[in-house]
Amino acid sequence: MADKIAFPVQLVQPDGRRVHRPDYAALVADIGPDRLRDLYEDLVVVRRIDTEATALQRQGQLGIWAPLLGQEAAQIGSVRALEPDDYIFTSYREHAVAYCRGVDPAVMTRLWRGYAFSGWDPASVNMTNPAIVVGSQGLHATGYALGAHLDGAEIATVVYFGDGATSQGDLAEALGFATSLGAPVVFFCQNNQWAISEPVHLQSPAPIAARAAGYGMPAVQVDGNDVLAVLAVTRQAARHAREGGGPSFVEAITYRMGPHTTSDDPTRYRTAAESEVWKARDPIDRMRRLLEREGLFDDALADRVQARADEVAARLRAGALEALDPDVDELFEHVYATDHPLLDEERAEYRAYLDTLTAGEEALS
């Protein structure tokens, strides 16, 4: 796999020209004009989700948001390569994955608004809720993949994480367990160049994908801003998992164009010149240029995509602003599978505390 690590897979250049890679192009030979247009729509809609949620946070409607600006192709290309039965474990930035998996935009902000412990039912879309503890989802995915394999399920389990998570012990342990036990899991690293304020070269002077070799795991680097290339390599990795080949590692080289979260200021640790270089590699512009070169882009497509983006953004905003505050008792639900006396005691204490606050407010009024 050394050649694949040294030369990242690319099928579309930033100017929209196709790259001659017959081996990987064959993996996306079924992606015709309609599917290309659909991928472009995904890219535009997901960016609108991100900008709408960021605006909601700036307006005080969300506590925090982790933008995915610039990483749309890495997420969309990978998730569109999966089957409905495949199971996904995410970090906290995979909003595009959630959208493509069928998560209702109206519930995407629940966790970030602070009125729910989760956003959606994982079983309904075969995708977990955001994992805030960096790297922990690697172990969760490995355990799930092994269990599914032992149950005879012919599925792939995919775990998303950033370059920063590769410096966490949890992920190192997950890679070791996955290889030793042959767990059918795809480790999908979105190398967006920055772990908050630390550049990737300080974490790993060698390519991150090269780490997989130390575990005896096949790996591939891919241009993470090329949605077709990401689709191709993820299809290959997922098939490898489903067919009993065990784990594999994908490093999607992309760039976080915005802040780490809305509480971050990236201008404090990176230059405008660096951002301009990556802006020229914007995944949406690249896809549009491909469509234009191949005569597939017109006003009708632009209008359709814009209408869809507006519709999704409106639903996301309405879901955030119209949601009712949760009942106090919901804090204590789903903690244990069965009733627990300690939890009953804590619930009663908390109710008494709230009653005290209410009484105090009434006395002051």
Side-chain angles (χ1 to χ4, degrees), residues 194 255 257 266-280:
W194 290 92
Y255 191 74
M257 295 172 68
T267 64
R268 298 182 63 183
Y269 53 81
R270 68 187 190 196
T271 66
E274 176 186 311
S275 299
E276 284 300 312
V277 169
W278 282 93
K279 186 176 180 181

Short mmCIF file of all heavy atoms in Angstrom, two decimals, residues 194 255 257 266-280:
data_model
loop_
_atom_site.label_atom_id
_atom_site.label_comp_id
_atom_site.label_asym_id
_atom_site.label_seq_id
_atom_site.Cartn_x
_atom_site.Cartn_y
_atom_site.Cartn_z
N TRP A 194 -5.57 20.69 11.05
CA TRP A 194 -5.45 21.38 12.34
C TRP A 194 -6.25 20.65 13.42
O TRP A 194 -7.45 20.42 13.26
CB TRP A 194 -5.94 22.82 12.24
CG TRP A 194 -5.05 23.70 11.43
CD1 TRP A 194 -5.14 23.97 10.10
CD2 TRP A 194 -3.89 24.40 11.91
NE1 TRP A 194 -4.12 24.80 9.71
CE2 TRP A 194 -3.34 25.09 10.80
CE3 TRP A 194 -3.27 24.52 13.15
CZ2 TRP A 194 -2.19 25.88 10.90
CZ3 TRP A 194 -2.13 25.31 13.25
CH2 TRP A 194 -1.61 25.98 12.14
N TYR A 255 -9.37 20.18 4.49
CA TYR A 255 -9.00 21.39 5.22
C TYR A 255 -10.21 21.96 5.93
O TYR A 255 -11.30 22.08 5.34
CB TYR A 255 -8.43 22.43 4.27
CG TYR A 255 -7.77 23.62 4.95
CD1 TYR A 255 -6.54 23.48 5.57
CD2 TYR A 255 -8.38 24.87 4.98
CE1 TYR A 255 -5.92 24.56 6.20
CE2 TYR A 255 -7.78 25.95 5.60
CZ TYR A 255 -6.55 25.79 6.21
OH TYR A 255 -5.94 26.85 6.83
N MET A 257 -11.89 24.93 6.80
CA MET A 257 -11.84 26.32 6.35
C MET A 257 -12.30 27.30 7.42
O MET A 257 -11.99 28.48 7.37
CB MET A 257 -12.66 26.48 5.07
CG MET A 257 -12.10 25.70 3.89
SD MET A 257 -13.17 25.68 2.44
CE MET A 257 -13.08 27.40 1.93
N PRO A 266 -9.56 30.96 14.44
CA PRO A 266 -8.43 30.38 13.70
C PRO A 266 -7.41 31.40 13.22
O PRO A 266 -6.28 31.03 12.89
CB PRO A 266 -9.10 29.67 12.52
CG PRO A 266 -10.39 30.40 12.33
CD PRO A 266 -10.82 30.80 13.72
N THR A 267 -7.78 32.69 13.21
CA THR A 267 -6.81 33.69 12.76
C THR A 267 -5.64 33.85 13.74
O THR A 267 -4.63 34.45 13.41
CB THR A 267 -7.48 35.06 12.56
OG1 THR A 267 -7.96 35.54 13.83
CG2 THR A 267 -8.64 34.95 11.58
N ARG A 268 -5.78 33.29 14.94
CA ARG A 268 -4.72 33.39 15.94
C ARG A 268 -3.59 32.40 15.69
O ARG A 268 -2.51 32.54 16.26
CB ARG A 268 -5.31 33.17 17.34
CG ARG A 268 -6.34 34.22 17.75
CD ARG A 268 -6.84 33.99 19.15
NE ARG A 268 -5.76 34.13 20.13
CZ ARG A 268 -5.91 33.91 21.44
NH1 ARG A 268 -7.10 33.54 21.91
NH2 ARG A 268 -4.90 34.05 22.27
N TYR A 269 -3.85 31.38 14.87
CA TYR A 269 -2.81 30.36 14.70
C TYR A 269 -2.56 29.95 13.25
O TYR A 269 -1.69 29.11 13.00
CB TYR A 269 -3.14 29.12 15.53
CG TYR A 269 -4.52 28.52 15.30
CD1 TYR A 269 -4.79 27.69 14.21
CD2 TYR A 269 -5.57 28.79 16.18
CE1 TYR A 269 -6.04 27.13 14.01
CE2 TYR A 269 -6.83 28.24 15.99
CZ TYR A 269 -7.06 27.42 14.91
OH TYR A 269 -8.31 26.88 14.71
N ARG A 270 -3.26 30.51 12.29
CA ARG A 270 -2.95 30.19 10.90
C ARG A 270 -3.09 31.43 10.03
O ARG A 270 -3.82 32.37 10.38
CB ARG A 270 -3.82 29.04 10.38
CG ARG A 270 -5.28 29.36 10.22
CD ARG A 270 -6.07 28.11 9.85
NE ARG A 270 -7.44 28.46 9.47
CZ ARG A 270 -8.44 27.59 9.40
NH1 ARG A 270 -8.23 26.32 9.68
NH2 ARG A 270 -9.65 27.99 9.04
N THR A 271 -2.40 31.41 8.90
CA THR A 271 -2.33 32.60 8.07
C THR A 271 -3.44 32.64 7.03
O THR A 271 -3.98 31.60 6.63
CB THR A 271 -0.98 32.65 7.34
OG1 THR A 271 -0.91 31.56 6.41
CG2 THR A 271 0.17 32.56 8.32
N ALA A 272 -3.73 33.85 6.58
CA ALA A 272 -4.72 34.02 5.51
C ALA A 272 -4.22 33.39 4.22
O ALA A 272 -5.01 32.87 3.42
CB ALA A 272 -5.02 35.50 5.31
N ALA A 273 -2.90 33.44 4.00
CA ALA A 273 -2.33 32.86 2.78
C ALA A 273 -2.58 31.36 2.71
O ALA A 273 -2.90 30.82 1.64
CB ALA A 273 -0.83 33.14 2.73
N GLU A 274 -2.47 30.69 3.84
CA GLU A 274 -2.74 29.25 3.87
C GLU A 274 -4.19 28.97 3.52
O GLU A 274 -4.50 28.06 2.73
CB GLU A 274 -2.43 28.68 5.25
CG GLU A 274 -2.76 27.21 5.41
CD GLU A 274 -2.57 26.71 6.82
OE1 GLU A 274 -1.49 26.98 7.39
OE2 GLU A 274 -3.49 26.07 7.37
N SER A 275 -5.08 29.73 4.10
CA SER A 275 -6.51 29.54 3.82
C SER A 275 -6.84 29.79 2.36
O SER A 275 -7.70 29.10 1.78
CB SER A 275 -7.34 30.46 4.72
OG SER A 275 -7.13 30.16 6.09
N GLU A 276 -6.17 30.74 1.75
CA GLU A 276 -6.42 31.04 0.33
C GLU A 276 -6.00 29.87 -0.56
O GLU A 276 -6.66 29.58 -1.56
CB GLU A 276 -5.67 32.31 -0.08
CG GLU A 276 -6.31 33.60 0.42
CD GLU A 276 -7.74 33.77 -0.10
OE1 GLU A 276 -7.95 33.59 -1.32
OE2 GLU A 276 -8.64 34.08 0.71
N VAL A 277 -4.91 29.23 -0.21
CA VAL A 277 -4.47 28.06 -0.98
C VAL A 277 -5.56 26.98 -0.98
O VAL A 277 -5.89 26.40 -2.02
CB VAL A 277 -3.16 27.50 -0.40
CG1 VAL A 277 -2.84 26.14 -1.02
CG2 VAL A 277 -2.02 28.47 -0.66
N TRP A 278 -6.13 26.74 0.19
CA TRP A 278 -7.14 25.69 0.28
C TRP A 278 -8.49 26.14 -0.28
O TRP A 278 -9.29 25.31 -0.74
CB TRP A 278 -7.28 25.24 1.73
CG TRP A 278 -6.17 24.32 2.11
CD1 TRP A 278 -4.98 24.65 2.71
CD2 TRP A 278 -6.11 22.91 1.89
NE1 TRP A 278 -4.20 23.53 2.87
CE2 TRP A 278 -4.86 22.45 2.39
CE3 TRP A 278 -6.99 21.99 1.32
CZ2 TRP A 278 -4.49 21.11 2.33
CZ3 TRP A 278 -6.62 20.65 1.26
CH2 TRP A 278 -5.38 20.23 1.75
N LYS A 279 -8.74 27.44 -0.26
CA LYS A 279 -9.98 27.94 -0.84
C LYS A 279 -10.03 27.62 -2.33
O LYS A 279 -11.11 27.36 -2.89
CB LYS A 279 -10.09 29.46 -0.63
CG LYS A 279 -11.41 30.05 -1.09
CD LYS A 279 -11.48 31.54 -0.77
CE LYS A 279 -12.80 32.14 -1.23
NZ LYS A 279 -12.86 33.60 -0.93
N ALA A 280 -8.88 27.61 -2.99
CA ALA A 280 -8.81 27.27 -4.41
C ALA A 280 -9.14 25.80 -4.65
O ALA A 280 -9.39 25.40 -5.80
CB ALA A 280 -7.43 27.59 -4.96
#
